[in-house]
C-alpha cells in the first residue's frame, strides 16, 4: 500500500508505504529521490530534530507493545533524511500513516506524540517494588507465559532481577535490585539519568497477598533476609598467568581456552585416530599429526616465554630430515597431556649434577637429544616425564642416562634430570 505525498509521482517524489509482516507493519516514509532533488537545487534535505525525536519515541513505545503481544525478534530502528520507518501494531496502521504524512508535510508532530502515549505500557508499575499478582484481562492481555517473558526482558534492561511465575490466568512477580546493579547506577549517574532506587529496603505491607506454593522447590527462602555486605579490598594479581598468557587486551576471551589446554592438554581432533597412549610424530607424518604436534608445542612456548616453537614442521609436505626430528605425544582421555620433541645429534658434553660442575670434554657419539619436554599441569609429578624419556631411549636403543638434553635446561627439566639420572646428564 503506497501513498504519494507530492504531485510528482516519479522517483523524485515522497511516498509512504505500508509493509505488513506477521506480527506488525512497517510504515515507511521514503524520501530517497526527494533528497537527491533537494541536493541538486542546493536545499537542505535533513529532517527536523523534533521529527527524529518524535519518530524514535514512537518506535520505543511501539516495539515494546509488539514484544508485549508476543513477538520475540529484533528491530533495527533509525530515522534519516532518506527514510523514516515506524514499526506499528496492525490496529494503529491508518493513524500512524496519517501522523507520518502530517509530520512530513506540515511539520506537525503532535499526532506522533499522541500515538506514542496510546501505545505506552505501564512497565514501571508492573516492575515496581513488592510482590503482586497481575491478572490477565485486568492488568494485561497476552497469555501469561508471553507476558512473563516480556517482563523478564524489561526487568533485565532495567538491571532488575525478576522472581516471577506464570499461572493459568495470572502472573506473580517480585522485582528486586541486585546490589551490583545498585552500585553501578550510583557510580555512573550520567549513564542512568533520572534513575531512583525504589526497591532496596522495600517492606511488604502486612496485608500483602502471599504467592501460593505449587510444589517443587521451597518458596521464599530469602524473604526478609539481610542483603550481602561488600567491601573494597586491594587484590594483588600477577601480570602473567602460569599458563603463559599475560593480562591485557583479549585476556578475558582467550584465557579460559588457553588455560584449559595448559591444565588438561590439547584435545585430539576428530580427524585423528589415536588408538593407544603414545604416538611418535615425525617430519614425514601426515599433516594432521604434524599440526597437532605444533599445537601442543605452543603450550611450553607460552609457559616458558620462548621465542620459537620446539616443533616447526607443521607446514608443507612430508620430508626426511638428517637429524630425524620427532615428537612424542602422550594422550589420556582424548587429550594430549605429554609432549617431547627430540632429534639426533653427535655433539655432547657431560655434566655432573651432584657437584653442579661445568661441562666436560666434547663427545661425538650420536645420541637422541631432548629439544623440549612438557606435561599438562594436572598430570605433573605423576611419572609422565619419565615415561616420555623412556620411550625416547627405547626407540633409539639406549638408556635414559645416555639421552642428551638441549642447553639451557629449565628448572623443571633439571628437577626431572636429577630424578632419572642422578649422577649426571649429557648436554647438547
Amino acid at each position: 500500500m503506497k501513498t504519494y505525498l507530492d504531485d510528482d509521482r516519479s522517483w523524485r517524489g515522497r511516498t509512504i508505504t505500508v509493509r505488513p509482516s506477521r506480527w506488525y507493519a512497517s510504515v515507511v516514509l521514503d524520501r530517497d529521490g526527494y533528497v537527491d532533488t533537494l541536493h541538486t537545487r542546493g536545499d537542505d534535505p535533513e529532517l527536523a530534530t523534533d521529527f527524529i525525536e518524535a519518530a524514535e519515541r514512537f518506535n520505543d513505545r511501539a516495539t515494546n507493545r509488539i514484544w508485549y503481544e508476543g513477538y520475540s525478534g529484533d528491530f533495527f530502528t533509525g530515522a534519516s533524511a532518506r527514510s523514516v520507518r515506524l514499526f506499528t501494531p496492525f490496529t494503529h496502521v491508518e493513524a500512524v500513516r496519517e501522523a507520518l504524512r502530517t509530520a512530513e508535510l506540515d511539520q506537525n508532530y503532535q499526532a506522533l506524540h499522541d500515538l506514542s502515549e496510546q501505545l505506552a505500557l505501564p512497565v514501571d508499575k508492573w516492575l515496581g517494588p513488592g510482590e503482586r499478582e497481575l491478572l490477565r484481562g485486568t492488568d494485561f492481555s497476552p497469555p501469561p507465559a508471553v507476558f512473563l517473558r516480556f517482563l523478564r526482558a524489561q526487568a533485565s534492561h532495567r538491571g532488575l532481577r525478576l522472581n516471577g511465575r506464570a499461572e493459568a490466568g495470572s502472573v506473580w512477580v517480585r522485582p528486586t535490585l541486585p546490589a551490583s546493579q545498585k552500585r553501578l547506577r550510583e557510580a555512573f549517574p550520567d549513564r542512568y539519568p533520572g534513575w531512583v532506587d525504589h526497591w532496596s529496603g522495600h517492606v511488604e505491607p502486612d496485608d500483602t497477598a502471599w504467592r501460593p506454593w505449587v510444589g517443587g522447590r521451597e518458596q521464599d527462602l530469602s524473604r526478609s533476609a539481610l542483603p550481602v555486605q561488600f567491601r573494597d579490598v586491594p587484590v594483588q594479581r600477577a601480570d602473567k598467568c602460569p599458563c603463559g598468557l599475560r593480562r591485557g587486551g583479549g585476556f578475558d576471551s582467550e584465557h579460559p581456552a588457553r588455560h584449559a589446554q595448559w591444565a588438561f592438554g590439547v584435545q585430539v581432533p576428530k580427524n585423528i585416530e589415536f588408538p593407544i597412549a603414545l604416538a611418535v610424530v615425525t617430519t614425514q607424518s601426515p599433516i594432521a599429526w604434524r599440526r597437532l604436534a605444533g599445537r601442543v608445542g605452543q603450550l611450553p612456548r607460552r609457559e616458558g616465554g620462548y621465542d620459537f616453537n620446539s616443533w616447526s614442521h607443521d607446514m608443507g609436505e612430508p620430508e626426511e630430515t638428517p637429524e630425524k626430528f620427532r615428537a612424542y605425544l602422550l594422550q589420556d582421555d582424548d587429550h594430549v597431556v605429554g609432549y617431547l620433541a627430540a632429534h639426533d645429534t653427535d655433539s655432547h658434553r657431560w655434566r655432573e649434577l651432584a657437584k653442579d660442575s661445568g661441562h666436560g670434554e666434547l663427545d661425538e657419539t650420536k645420541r637422541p637429544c631432548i629439544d623440549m619436554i612438557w606435561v599438562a599441569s594436572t598430570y605433573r609429578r605423576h611419572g609422565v616425564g619419565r615415561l616420555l624419556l623412556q620411550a625416547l631411549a627405547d626407540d633409539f636403543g639406549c638408556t635414559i642416562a645416555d639421552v642428551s638434553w638441549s642447553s639451557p635446561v629449565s628448572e623443571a627439566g633439571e628437577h626431572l634430570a636429577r630424578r632419572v639420572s642422578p649422577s649426571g646428564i649429557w648436554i647438547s
Side-chain angles (χ1 to χ4, degrees):
M1 183 183 301
K2 180 179 291 189
T3 302
Y4 292 91
L5 303 185
D6 301 297
D7 293 335
D8 184 355
R9 295 198 170 192
S10 69
W11 61 270
R12 299 180 184 84
R14 293 166 289 180
T15 62
I16 295 178
T17 306
V18 177
R19 300 170 183 170
S21 59
R22 179 180 177 185
W23 287 95
Y24 59 89
S26 297
V27 183
V28 182
L29 169 62
D30 186 352
R31 308 174 82 242
D32 197 40
Y34 180 72
V35 167
D36 291 336
T37 302
L38 291 182
H39 274 306
T40 302
R41 297 202 303 247
D43 295 334
D44 182 12
E46 295 299 321
L47 290 176
T49 302
D50 290 344
F51 193 174
I52 295 176
E53 291 177 352
E56 290 177 346
R57 185 165 178 259
F58 174 87
N59 272 333
D60 182 60
R61 304 288 179 83
T63 52
N64 262 0
R65 173 72 66 165
I66 296 167
W67 280 321
Y68 162 79
E69 292 174 352
Y71 179 65
S72 57
D74 294 323
F75 294 96
F76 299 96
T77 61
S80 68
R82 293 184 177 274
S83 176
V84 178
R85 180 186 299 269
L86 301 182
F87 300 98
T88 309
F90 290 114
T91 53
H92 291 70
V93 166
E94 289 301 323
V96 170
R97 185 169 59 172
E98 179 60 24
L100 199 54
R101 187 192 68 80
T102 304
E104 171 66 8
L105 297 181
D106 302 334
Q107 291 74 53
N108 184 340
Y109 316 116
Q110 187 58 46
L112 279 179
H113 289 303
D114 292 342
L115 287 169
S116 297
E117 291 302 318
Q118 293 178 27
L119 293 172
L121 294 168
V123 178
D124 291 335
K125 178 182 177 182
W126 291 333
L127 295 178
E131 183 165 33
R132 71 188 67 84
E133 182 181 24
L134 303 174
L135 302 176
R136 186 182 187 187
T138 301
D139 299 299
F140 66 94
S141 337
V146 172
F147 179 59
L148 181 57
R149 183 182 66 191
F150 169 76
L151 284 186
R152 289 194 190 282
Q154 294 294 316
S156 177
H157 178 69
R158 289 163 169 76
L160 300 175
R161 180 182 295 119
L162 183 65
N163 184 321
R165 186 179 76 227
E167 296 187 344
S170 66
V171 168
W172 283 89
V173 295
R174 187 174 76 245
T176 57
L177 177 67
S180 59
Q181 292 293 335
K182 176 180 172 65
R183 293 200 310 274
L184 178 66
R185 281 156 172 74
E186 291 176 343
F188 303 99
D190 294 342
R191 296 186 192 175
Y192 308 98
W195 179 81
V196 179
D197 181 8
H198 298 291
W199 300 269
S200 300
H202 174 78
V203 178
E204 298 283 2
D206 294 336
D207 59 350
T208 299
W210 288 84
R211 186 188 311 189
W213 184 54
V214 294
R217 294 181 300 174
E218 293 188 16
Q219 184 187 8
D220 297 332
L221 295 182
S222 293
R223 181 178 287 276
S224 303
L226 297 176
V228 174
Q229 300 296 316
F230 295 90
R231 300 286 184 271
D232 285 332
V233 295
V235 179
Q236 297 294 329
R237 294 193 301 178
D239 292 336
K240 179 182 176 183
C241 177
C243 71
L245 188 63
R246 293 188 176 276
R247 296 186 183 276
F251 181 86
D252 292 339
S253 59
E254 296 181 23
H255 184 244
R258 288 195 179 185
H259 194 94
Q261 290 182 341
W262 171 78
F264 303 110
V266 174
Q267 188 170 14
V268 178
K270 295 186 181 299
N271 64 334
I272 288 181
E273 185 177 352
F274 212 135
I276 55 178
L278 187 66
V280 183
V281 180
T282 71
T283 58
Q284 295 178 285
S285 297
I287 186 62
W289 282 99
R290 287 184 281 133
R291 285 175 176 169
L292 177 59
R295 287 180 58 198
V296 182
Q298 289 285 5
L299 300 179
R301 185 190 71 80
R302 294 171 190 153
E303 181 177 355
Y306 304 120
D307 293 332
F308 303 103
N309 192 337
S310 52
W311 182 262
S312 58
H313 308 280
D314 53 352
M315 297 179 64
E317 298 180 353
E319 62 176 350
E320 185 177 3
T321 55
E323 301 89 346
K324 295 184 179 179
F325 288 100
R326 54 202 181 273
Y328 292 77
L329 305 181
L330 183 70
Q331 69 96 6
D332 182 61
D333 195 22
D334 293 328
H335 285 70
V336 179
V337 301
Y339 164 81
L340 189 153
H343 73 286
D344 294 342
T345 183
D346 57 4
S347 178
H348 323 275
R349 295 181 185 274
W350 181 255
R351 175 184 164 196
E352 294 184 11
L353 296 176
K355 298 179 181 179
D356 198 17
S357 64
H359 297 165
E361 295 183 1
L362 179 66
D363 180 271
E364 296 183 351
T365 304
K366 180 162 285 192
R367 305 176 189 277
C369 176
I370 303 169
D371 296 324
M372 177 64 67
I373 185 167
W374 177 86
V375 177
S377 177
T378 54
Y379 286 81
R380 293 174 186 176
R381 293 176 176 78
H382 287 76
V384 175
R386 179 189 290 270
L387 192 64
L388 291 168
L389 279 172
Q390 189 64 59
L392 174 63
D394 291 345
D395 273 1
F396 192 82
C398 65
T399 65
I400 289 181
D402 289 327
V403 173
S404 185
W405 299 66
S406 292
S407 179
V409 182
S410 66
E411 182 179 346
E414 188 157 325
H415 178 76
L416 175 61
R418 290 179 184 276
R419 286 192 298 152
V420 299
S421 184
S423 59
I425 58 174
W426 292 102
I427 296 293
S428 173

